[in-house]
Amino acid sequence: MTAASAADVASALRGADAVTILCHVRPDPDTLGSGLALGQALVGLGMAVEVAYPGDLPLPSAMKALPGSELLVRPDAVVGHPVAVSVDAATLGRLEDLGEVFGAARERIVVDHHVSNTGFGTLDFIDPSSDCTASLVLEIIDELGVTLTEPIATCVYAGLITDTGSFKWARPSSFGIAARLIEAGVDGAKWSRTLLDSHPFTWFGVASAVLGDAKLESAACGGAGLVYATVPHELLSSMAWDESESLIDLVRTAQDAEVAAVFKESEPGRWNVSLRSKDKVDVTTIARAFGGGGHIRAAGYSIDGTSDEVAAALLAQV
Ligand code: MN
């Protein structure tokens, strides 16, 4: 790994004719906003740009509305340019099949803010002190000398507002960045509603079923408590994939638990687990024990088994 700065990344990009930008699987607004912000900046410099994420999940309508989404290509249509940038992926595995495209590029640039990211590019611009990857992309755009237009600012804002939970856990620097983005013309009220405060009515039924079945283990985590909920495959398949992402934000509101977990059965017997903590437990330690990763207060992993087995495995670990 070669530790790189925003300036290093900008000079590597400046000479390129064409750039492939890769977002992580099950894209969230940070990876996508980062990809589309950088993509639009590079298009402005006259480069050919393609942006892609692995898998065949449709883009949630909220993210489809982001400026620059016309740069997105399906994974099987990716050309694979000599310069590739991975945005917000903590590991090469998060790029799934597109990891091959990344690996085949001459210059492989990793831009990320996950503390667990050990680097997998020729240039690794990894800064865990940043609340989101989109803010790091803004640093690169500034180094490139590209004007912060409203469409670019909107994409950066999408990453910033979602990865800070509407600034609930934002660090001081993020407020300065937000002010700059709003001044550049971002409609903050519209995008917070679109990206964070919007669900189809059918989601209410799913959320009530999941919450009604949640379990509290007060003795877990050294007495700090664990609350968890499971979303069986049948229930999970009844909702749009991105709608399940916000269930953890409901479960983690339990006053009685330091750690919250949501088990989502992506395929029968296969579970994706989201973990959150409040202010004591480092959940990356738990996630890593199961081969996952993430941030100190938000991490995840995948595991096989029945719902009882995967819950017992977590309880044994905390
Ligand atoms: Mn992120």
Side-chain angles (χ1 to χ4, degrees):
M1 116 167 222
T2 311
S5 65
D8 296 331
V9 173
S11 42
L13 288 170
R14 207 170 279 123
D17 298 319
V19 177
T20 298
I21 302 174
L22 301 171
C23 304
H24 65 67
V25 66
R26 301 174 70 82
D28 60 20
D30 190 29
T31 192
L32 206 69
S34 295
L36 298 180
L38 183 60
Q40 290 176 95
L42 298 179
V43 166
L45 291 172
M47 298 178 200
V49 174
E50 57 182 3
V51 184
Y53 60 89
D56 52 12
L57 288 174
L59 206 55
S61 55
M63 286 190 250
K64 233 182 261 170
L66 283 175
S69 61
E70 71 280 357
L71 298 175
L72 282 166
V73 298
R74 295 188 50 79
D76 52 10
V78 169
V79 175
H81 296 305
V83 177
V85 186
S86 163
V87 283
D88 200 45
T91 61
L92 186 61
R94 294 278 286 160
L95 301 179
E96 295 203 331
D97 292 352
L98 290 174
E100 282 177 37
V101 172
F102 188 73
R106 175 181 46 79
E107 189 78 273
R108 302 180 295 280
I109 302 171
V110 171
V111 183
D112 188 29
H113 70 127
H114 289 91
V115 68
S116 59
N117 192 333
T118 52
F120 54 92
T122 51
L123 286 178
D124 295 310
F125 177 32
I126 299 163
D127 183 358
S129 76
S130 178
D131 282 329
C132 59
T133 296
S135 296
L136 301 176
V137 164
L138 179 59
E139 287 183 40
I140 297 167
I141 290 170
D142 286 341
E143 290 289 345
L144 285 167
V146 173
T147 304
L148 182 62
T149 59
E150 185 258 313
I152 292 175
T154 295
C155 291
V156 175
Y157 195 78
L160 183 64
I161 193 173
T162 51
D163 268 28
T164 59
S166 287
F167 303 103
K168 275 183 280 205
W169 50 84
R171 284 174 261 212
S173 59
S174 286
F175 291 95
I177 295 166
R180 207 182 141 201
L181 299 172
I182 299 289
E183 278 162 7
V186 176
D187 185 341
K190 172 189 160 181
W191 288 101
S192 76
R193 186 179 63 246
T194 306
L195 294 165
L196 291 154
D197 285 339
S198 171
H199 299 287
F201 184 72
T202 51
W203 179 83
F204 290 19
V206 176
S208 66
V210 169
L211 291 180
D213 199 40
K215 307 274 189 304
L216 177 66
E217 298 282 350
S218 303
C221 304
L226 167 75
V227 62
Y228 68 92
T230 51
V231 193
H233 184 65
E234 199 185 333
L235 193 57
L236 189 67
S237 10
S238 74
M239 64 203 298
W241 70 268
D242 60 302
E243 288 295 331
S244 67
E245 306 287 310
S246 57
L247 294 170
I248 186 68
D249 292 322
L250 294 173
V251 175
R252 68 176 175 77
T253 59
Q255 282 177 341
D256 326 68
E258 158 72 14
V259 177
V262 170
F263 296 84
K264 290 173 286 189
E265 194 176 17
S266 55
E267 296 160 39
R270 177 81 179 154
W271 302 80
N272 293 325
V273 188
S274 303
L275 297 171
R276 298 290 184 274
S277 68
K278 287 175 183 159
D279 47 25
K280 289 193 273 289
V281 174
D282 176 356
V283 287
T284 54
T285 313
I286 305 168
R288 278 177 183 156
F290 294 104
H295 307 281
I296 291 168
R297 301 281 168 249
Y301 62 92
S302 298
I303 187 169
D304 295 322
T306 65
S307 62
D308 288 344
E309 285 164 359
V310 297
L314 175 61
L315 276 163
Q317 191 64 40
V318 300

